[in-house]
Amino acid sequence: MYDVLIAGGGIAGLTAALYAARAGCSTLVLEQQYYGGQIVNAPLVENYPGIHRISGAELAQRVYDQALAAGAQYANAAVERAEPRDGGFALYTNRGIFAGRGLILATGAGSRPLGLDREQALTGHGVSYCAACDGGLYRGKDVAVAGGGNTALSDCLLLAQGCRRVYLIHRRSSFRGEASLLEQVRRQPNVELLTDATVTELLGEQRLEGIRIRQRRLRTLKVEGLFIAVGRQPRTEAFAGLVSLDPGGYIRAGEDCRTTKQGIFCAGDCRSKSIRQLCTAAADGAAAAIGLCESLSAEKKQA
């Protein structure tokens, strides 16, 4: 049995692993995809304190290496459910059952779909949720981005470097993203901003051939790619019966990252909070690990 099991290997989970291992707790990180989480898809990170410029993949690699050097362990496994057991908890995964005295839930959040007909069928065939992953496939072509936050603005800037034309479609009249990012987008000669607009239909059979939008009236855009960046949804289904979730599915926990279940902490984008940034994910990871290790130490002293 490990002292600390961490579900999720993004920046929050890896930072938690670093702090837990440094506190002397045996620590295992379980991640179903790749370590680093969504930040590995960012070609350039410029808002992480102390590092002027770095790729998301390199930043993730550094934190991963640091956590393992401190003594944490890592395994690829998809967590399917969590249950209490004598002396701690069990995580049931596609690679077996792992036991730990305490849990840190850092499973992050996934891309939210638009909910359009045939959206899933066309994903990978013109519909994408990751401009950094798939943008290179549309060099010299016309594409659209749906969204109004930082991710949508960053996607626009990335795509504008290689695509012939980029339409940025946002359902409101003003953007939620940072003013500096929006100003950079406005300066791109091949980007057209379409506000008070929504995507209503995907066109094409085997591949995306265009989209229909409503902007006061129906309009058809001939695009070969649609990049959806309309928010995230938490990956917390596996823990719904164990900890309290808010109406959006995020895990209820304060700034100390303590959940409603003794011995379980959470960190990062799956936590119910107002700000979700790279630095707050790292802060959550540190707070969760320190809090859990202190709790485990107190339990040992009382035993």
Side-chain angles (χ1 to χ4, degrees), residues 16-251:
L18 170 63
Y19 275 78
R22 286 176 57 86
C25 292
S26 58
T27 303
L28 174 65
V29 180
L30 300 172
E31 168 58 49
Q32 65 176 336
Q33 295 180 322
Y34 40 80
Y35 56 81
Q38 60 181 329
I39 196 60
V40 302
N41 296 318
L44 188 63
V45 175
E46 297 180 296
N47 62 349
Y48 196 80
I51 302 177
H52 182 58
R53 285 186 167 201
I54 191 172
S55 73
E58 184 182 354
L59 179 61
Q61 186 68 53
R62 289 188 186 185
V63 183
Y64 171 81
D65 291 342
Q66 196 174 10
L68 265 60
Q73 297 180 45
Y74 176 92
N76 279 114
V79 177
E80 297 165 351
R81 73 180 192 275
E83 293 181 357
R85 69 162 44 181
D86 289 343
F89 303 90
L91 290 181
Y92 292 76
T93 79
N94 62 338
R95 294 188 58 186
I97 303 172
F98 298 87
R101 294 175 59 214
L103 297 181
I104 295 176
L105 309 180
T107 46
S111 299
R112 188 182 301 278
L114 289 175
L116 298 173
D117 288 344
R118 302 179 58 252
E119 182 176 342
Q120 185 174 355
L122 287 172
T123 297
H125 304 283
V127 173
S128 174
Y129 301 89
C130 179
C133 308
D134 302 327
L137 302 173
Y138 299 88
R139 187 169 295 277
K141 300 177 180 180
D142 293 349
V143 301
V145 176
N150 282 344
T151 300
L153 295 174
S154 297
D155 286 355
C156 237
L157 290 172
L158 178 64
L159 293 166
Q161 296 175 22
C163 295
R164 182 172 59 185
R165 189 158 193 79
V166 182
Y167 298 97
L168 177 57
I169 303 164
H170 183 40
R171 62 194 177 102
R172 295 191 174 94
S173 57
S174 59
F175 289 86
R176 305 186 313 274
E178 296 176 6
S180 59
L181 279 177
L182 179 58
E183 182 57 32
Q184 291 180 58
V185 169
R186 291 187 188 279
R187 290 200 298 264
Q188 304 304 311
N190 59 337
V191 172
E192 181 177 346
L193 274 60
L194 303 175
T195 55
D196 296 310
T198 56
V199 181
T200 61
E201 188 179 354
L202 305 176
L203 307 176
E205 293 300 323
Q206 302 303 317
R207 288 196 59 83
L208 184 74
E209 297 175 3
I211 58 175
R212 194 158 282 136
I213 69 170
R214 182 178 294 280
Q215 190 187 32
R216 295 180 294 277
R217 59 181 178 82
L218 285 177
R219 176 183 176 187
T220 299
L221 300 177
K222 290 186 177 181
V223 296
E224 295 184 53
L226 172 63
F227 294 85
I228 299 172
V230 293
R232 315 283 291 174
Q233 52 189 13
R235 299 188 182 102
T236 56
E237 299 89 348
F239 317 114
L242 194 58
V243 295
S244 176
L245 307 181
D246 71 11
Y250 292 91
I251 299 171

